[in-house]
Amino acid sequence: MKLRTVISKIEERIQIHQAEDFDNVGLLCGVPDREVSGILVCHDALENVVEEAIEKNCNLIVCFHPIIFSGLKSLTGKNYVERAVLKAIENKIAIYAIHTAFDNDFFGVNAGICNQLGLKDLKILQPKKNNLKQLTVFVPKEHSGKVKEALFSAGAGSIGFYDECSFTINGNGTFRPIEGSNPFSGQQNIRENADEDMISVIFEDYKKGQIVNAMKTAHPYEEVAYQIYSLDNDNHHSGLGMYGDFEEPMDEKDFLKFVKEKFNLEIIRHSDFNNKKIKRVGVLGGSGASGIKSAISRKCDAYLTGDVKYHDFFMTESKMLICDIGHFESEQFVTQQLFEILSQKFSTFAISKSIEKTNPVNYFI
């Protein structure tokens, strides 16, 4: 199977367009037309992981963190990034990163954390904003079904856990073909009255090109009448962080002990105790201090993340327990999640899970 085919199947499950604008996701190095011999899944595509891929005859590394984040101006092996990339290129190994595309996925990084904690009724902590659009198009009634199918096939009409969502209103449209036109119906210089449906669908903005192309291909008119609007609605099925509830609340210290056990932690940095029960918990894998205010607004009793700075701990205002469990530690389930996803996608394909240590942080206890 060629690399481009493997990538397309991965992206059927993890929408790479969900990634944050600052991120560097997708194929970082490799030739799309090369045959894939095996896949190694890892957290960070460091030099030792590339060596592991060579040993296991895997010429595709699917990693969480992008090894190339900022632009490379040279490849001389002078730092850990260049050494890893050089070794991959020299051994014809492709590297594909998913990072914030999986952070923003409803069943991604943060769902893994919530499932480990046993939280229920999960919701997105910071829903994506300004990425939903609405399309309305006017279609001859007898072609309405064909255009709808084309829109659905292109990805329009998906709302959360529902797809093929649309709304249709029937009405009367008018138009007059003028010189130079080649009308589907009617004659030049004579006003035409047409029995038309107005079809309305919602879609995520990255799908715009494919949806408009599909609509125009299926539509019988020479000039298609349609409008696209940007919506203020938040996308509650894509975004950073999650929150959910325990079935039974627990004391703060018992909660910390529970987290320490579930995540196999040596240490947890936390804010002052508030002497309140922990029922609702917010999570954001990786560097998640930016989600503290959102967690407070969602009335979370505790918030789990990594890389919390000194002054961030003051933000609780005695309303919430902030827990810094470590960057890598908060994302530690990602490799297993990706391994399971790829194993389902490629049941007859060689998928390996990296056993190399890539967490750069160590603790002296």
Side-chain angles (χ1 to χ4, degrees), residues 18 112 185 216 237 333:
Q18 294 182 124
S185 62
K216 288 184 175 180
H237 291 82
F333 309 112

Side-chain angles (χ1 to χ4, degrees), residues 267-291:
I267 189 172
I268 299 177
R269 299 167 64 233
H270 64 86
S271 59
D272 289 338
F273 288 129
N274 302 310
N275 297 316
K276 62 185 293 188
K277 297 286 187 179
I278 305 298
K279 171 76 171 176
R280 174 164 293 177
V281 180
V283 308
L284 205 168
S287 299
S290 61

Side-chain angles (χ1 to χ4, degrees), residues 138-149:
F138 299 88
V139 189
K141 187 173 180 61
E142 64 271 22
H143 288 265
S144 183
K146 180 181 178 181
V147 173
K148 275 186 192 177
E149 288 300 321

Side-chain angles (χ1 to χ4, degrees), residues 63-106:
C63 55
F64 181 60
H65 288 146
I67 185 65
I68 304 173
F69 194 77
S70 302
L72 292 175
K73 293 186 178 180
S74 65
L75 273 175
T76 61
K78 64 180 176 291
N79 56 46
Y80 79 96
V81 173
E82 291 185 15
R83 288 193 295 274
V85 175
L86 269 175
K87 189 176 285 289
I89 293 173
E90 290 170 347
N91 289 276
K92 298 182 179 180
I93 294 174
I95 299 177
Y96 180 90
I98 61 161
H99 203 206
T100 55
F102 204 48
D103 280 319
N104 280 309
D105 193 290
F106 193 89

Side-chain angles (χ1 to χ4, degrees), residues 114 119-123 242-246 279-283 300:
C114 290
L119 298 175
K120 307 296 182 183
D121 191 25
L122 304 183
K123 295 180 176 64
M242 291 196 108
Y243 66 98
D245 299 329
F246 286 122
K279 171 76 171 176
R280 174 164 293 177
V281 180
V283 308
C300 292

Side-chain angles (χ1 to χ4, degrees), residues 276-342:
K276 62 185 293 188
K277 297 286 187 179
I278 305 298
K279 171 76 171 176
R280 174 164 293 177
V281 180
V283 308
L284 205 168
S287 299
S290 61
I292 292 175
K293 290 183 179 179
S294 296
I296 293 173
S297 70
R298 305 290 184 185
K299 301 188 183 304
C300 292
D301 304 306
Y303 180 62
L304 264 62
T305 189
D307 298 343
V308 178
K309 296 180 180 179
Y310 176 87
H311 289 93
D312 295 331
F313 285 102
F314 288 114
M315 294 171 62
T316 62
E317 297 286 352
S318 302
K319 296 176 182 177
M320 183 179 72
L321 180 66
I322 295 178
C323 305
D324 184 341
I325 64 175
H327 190 123
F328 177 88
E329 288 79 5
S330 68
E331 299 172 339
Q332 63 182 281
F333 309 112
V334 169
T335 301
Q336 180 62 31
Q337 287 177 280
L338 294 178
F339 176 78
E340 292 174 2
I341 289 171
L342 296 185

